[in-house]
Amino acid sequence: MTIRTRFAPSPTGYLHIGGARTALFSWAYARKLGGSFILRIEDTDLERSSEASVQAILDGMAWLNLAYDEGPFYQMQRMERYKAVLAQMLEAGSAYFCYTTPEELEVMREEMRVRGEKPRYDGRWRPESGKLLPVPPEGVKPVVRFKNPLTGVAAWDDMVKGRIVFENSELDDLIIARTDGTPTYNFCVVVDDWDMGITQVIRGDDHVNNTPRQINILKALGAPLPQYAHVPMILGSDGERLSKRHGAVSVMQYAEDGFLPEALINYLTRLGWSHGDEEVFSVEQFVAWFDLERISKSAAQFNPEKLRWLNQHYIKLADNARLAGLVAGHLTERGVMVTNTPPLEAVVALYKGRVATLLELADEAEVFYVEVHPEQALLDEQLQPEVLPALRELAVCFSEVEWESAKLALLIKELLLKHALKMPKLAMPLRVMLVGQTHTPSVDAVLSLFPRETVLARMAKYL
């Protein structure tokens, strides 16, 4: 059997963390077993679906490098197929027209609540042998309902949760087409999975209650059943459902916030899945190790600090030229013109071990390409009278010394000895004048990145 998995988001918002993890698991399962990964856009909710959301999903998938083999398929482009299957089911008697109005349905459910029963559709328009149906009321457009089995069970061996069983008597007859003839979510999913030959449906466990209904419709159509794997949800660090305040933002927001895709991928893989005690691994390793049996049955907790730690790790490993290109993009968005002096790649190489995001790396790099205005309090604190003579002499020596890190370091040490100063007494005010802060990599390395003229000009403003 050729493995075929799918990711089927609704374009009613951005691609979020939970959706990205589902896509990742579905993609990895297909890649591990030499199968195909399909992208399907479930856009039948016309009021909430948008082209912007579709693009956000496609952008997120591309940024994470989750390449799909087929698609994207759009449900709105498959309406004729759905209507053909609906007609077949109506003809076969596995579906029927129901004229119950929303108002009648609410009254029906309220009466059941009063009696202490589970509120549900009572099957009044369901055709049965020997049953006399009401006369269809004039001016009322019917919905189409699926004729769910009254007895037996809908059961499956979930690839994550194990055996799950629903009594058919607990399921009422599902609406599978609205009054305007458009099919509903659960029906479209069934036809799509059938037509696309999906063998494994990997999705969030918020879909568990949909699965028995979908299984029963597939059986009524005589279609093969896929295997189902329902992945537990992701919670915030406080144990509550993941929301924006926990970091449940668009995948592309993480790109804008300076995260690398490999860091987010690595983090998502560990949200509910594990391979021993391994914490850091490549996408290739993940695919080689991945199996559904190792997915936890309990909810995972999102930890933004762990994600930052992983991002810091991947920034340290990243190619300097690649980082420079990404940082240049962030600087351009700020209106900062990056020049060739100093080369941004050299700046990135010096600072990348000190940051957790590309935005922080851009913050460090920006001071090399813009005018710096240190706070007066910081200048007053660092430019003490006892250090000014040494700084002024240093400025004179800077105009003559060979401009490279080792020579600058030697010059600074000589002046420290001459003026009987400790390194921080000279290095801290130098940093403040050059970059407006007291903490940087070694001061000689920072100095050597700047053109000599820039260093002398920045020092001259305060000396």
Side-chain angles (χ1 to χ4, degrees):
M1 178 181 66
T2 300
I3 298 297
R4 291 176 62 81
T5 66
R6 47 77 158 179
F7 177 50
S10 297
T12 54
Y14 47 71
L15 177 61
H16 54 77
I17 289 294
R21 186 188 63 166
T22 298
L24 174 61
F25 286 176
S26 298
W27 173 85
Y29 190 82
R31 289 290 175 269
K32 168 75 176 289
L33 299 174
S36 296
F37 174 60
I38 293 99
L39 177 62
R40 188 170 77 217
I41 306 296
E42 299 187 338
D43 56 350
T44 55
D45 187 342
L46 296 180
E47 289 186 4
R48 298 173 61 217
S49 296
S50 71
E51 285 299 319
S53 294
V54 171
Q55 194 57 53
I57 291 167
L58 298 179
D59 290 345
M61 296 285 285
W63 184 67
L64 292 172
N65 295 314
L66 297 181
Y68 37 91
D69 302 296
E70 298 176 26
F73 297 106
Y74 295 88
Q75 287 185 331
M76 286 305 296
Q77 296 175 5
R78 289 174 45 77
M79 283 295 140
E80 292 306 311
R81 169 61 177 158
Y82 303 140
K83 290 177 180 179
V85 176
L86 282 168
Q88 292 170 16
M89 294 179 71
L90 287 166
E91 174 129 7
S94 57
Y96 60 93
F97 290 114
C98 170
Y99 293 86
T100 306
T101 66
E103 294 75 19
E104 289 173 332
L105 192 59
E106 185 51 44
V107 170
M108 183 191 308
R109 288 171 173 165
E110 183 56 34
E111 290 173 350
M112 290 178 176
R113 289 189 194 99
V114 170
R115 295 196 300 267
E117 300 172 4
K118 179 180 177 180
R120 55 190 289 167
Y121 171 65
D122 64 5
R124 63 183 59 179
W125 288 95
R126 178 185 173 110
E128 300 287 2
S129 178
K131 177 181 178 181
L132 184 63
L133 293 176
V135 176
E138 288 187 19
V140 175
K141 292 183 178 180
V143 298
V144 178
R145 289 186 182 269
F146 171 61
K147 194 175 182 183
N148 195 75
L150 298 175
T151 59
V153 298
W156 73 96
D157 293 311
D158 197 277
M159 299 176 77
V160 172
K161 294 180 171 295
R163 186 72 173 171
I164 298 179
V165 178
F166 282 78
E167 296 288 337
N168 280 326
S169 58
E170 293 296 310
L171 305 173
D172 58 3
D173 289 352
L174 179 74
I175 294 175
I176 57 176
R178 303 177 184 88
T179 55
D180 62 0
T182 59
T184 59
Y185 165 78
N186 276 298
F187 179 73
C188 294
V189 168
V190 164
V191 177
D192 289 341
D193 286 344
W194 179 26
D195 286 355
M196 296 175 190
I198 302 302
T199 56
Q200 282 78 25
V201 173
I202 302 168
R203 58 189 179 187
D205 63 2
D206 52 330
H207 286 281
V208 165
N209 288 336
N210 290 328
T211 304
R213 298 182 179 281
Q214 293 172 11
I215 285 174
N216 284 340
I217 296 173
L218 284 165
K219 286 181 176 179
L221 291 170
L225 300 182
Q227 291 179 292
Y228 292 93
H230 290 92
V231 181
M233 69 171 59
I234 302 172
L235 302 177
S237 54
D238 56 3
E240 297 296 320
R241 189 178 182 90
L242 195 64
S243 64
K244 286 185 178 180
R245 66 188 174 90
H246 299 112
V249 295
S250 164
V251 163
M252 294 312 296
Q253 184 64 52
Y254 283 98
E256 292 174 19
D257 290 346
F259 288 84
L260 294 175
E262 57 265 39
L264 188 56
I265 285 281
N266 194 158
Y267 183 69
L268 290 177
T269 61
R270 293 290 282 112
L271 277 179
W273 176 88
S274 64
H275 182 78
D277 295 327
E278 300 286 348
E279 291 286 349
V280 180
F281 40 81
S282 68
V283 174
E284 291 75 21
Q285 286 173 311
F286 169 60
V287 170
W289 292 338
F290 184 68
D291 54 57
L292 294 170
E293 290 74 22
R294 291 182 181 272
I295 293 178
S296 171
K297 292 179 173 61
S298 56
Q301 285 196 321
F302 186 82
N303 183 344
E305 288 307 310
K306 181 68 172 294
L307 174 56
R308 278 178 59 84
W309 175 80
L310 274 171
N311 202 54
Q312 186 173 34
H313 169 81
Y314 281 104
I315 285 175
K316 288 178 182 177
L317 293 181
D319 176 74
N320 293 333
R322 176 194 174 202
L323 289 178
L326 294 170
V327 169
H330 287 295
L331 291 175
T332 299
E333 288 176 2
R334 302 177 186 185
V336 175
M337 179 69 69
V338 177
T339 62
N340 292 327
T341 308
L344 184 53
E345 195 170 328
V347 177
V348 161
L350 183 60
Y351 279 90
K352 71 177 186 178
R354 304 169 62 90
V355 300
T357 71
L358 295 175
L359 289 187
E360 293 173 7
L361 192 51
D363 290 341
E364 301 289 2
E366 183 174 339
V367 297
F368 288 87
Y369 305 101
V370 297
E371 286 290 325
V372 175
H373 303 285
E375 295 179 3
Q376 189 59 48
L378 195 56
L379 289 167
D380 293 341
E381 177 188 341
Q382 295 300 329
L383 297 178
Q384 296 292 324
E386 67 268 23
V387 79
L388 289 176
L391 287 170
R392 290 182 180 122
E393 185 174 347
L394 191 60
V396 173
C397 295
F398 277 167
S399 65
E400 301 169 353
V401 70
E402 186 179 343
W403 203 255
E404 60 98 10
S405 183
K407 296 293 174 58
L408 292 168
L410 182 60
L411 173 61
I412 291 170
K413 287 178 183 177
E414 289 173 351
L415 281 176
L416 288 173
L417 286 171
K418 180 178 178 180
H419 291 268
L421 296 171
K422 298 289 187 182
M423 176 62 85
K425 279 290 187 179
L426 207 56
M428 300 277 266
L430 264 177
R431 290 182 173 112
V432 170
M433 289 186 288
L434 289 175
V435 299
Q437 59 192 40
T438 56
H439 297 286
T440 68
S442 64
V443 69
D444 53 279
V446 174
L447 281 165
S448 67
L449 285 179
F450 280 104
R452 185 197 310 266
E453 297 74 19
T454 302
V455 171
L456 294 175
R458 291 191 180 188
M459 292 179 71
K461 287 193 294 183
Y462 310 106
L463 300 177

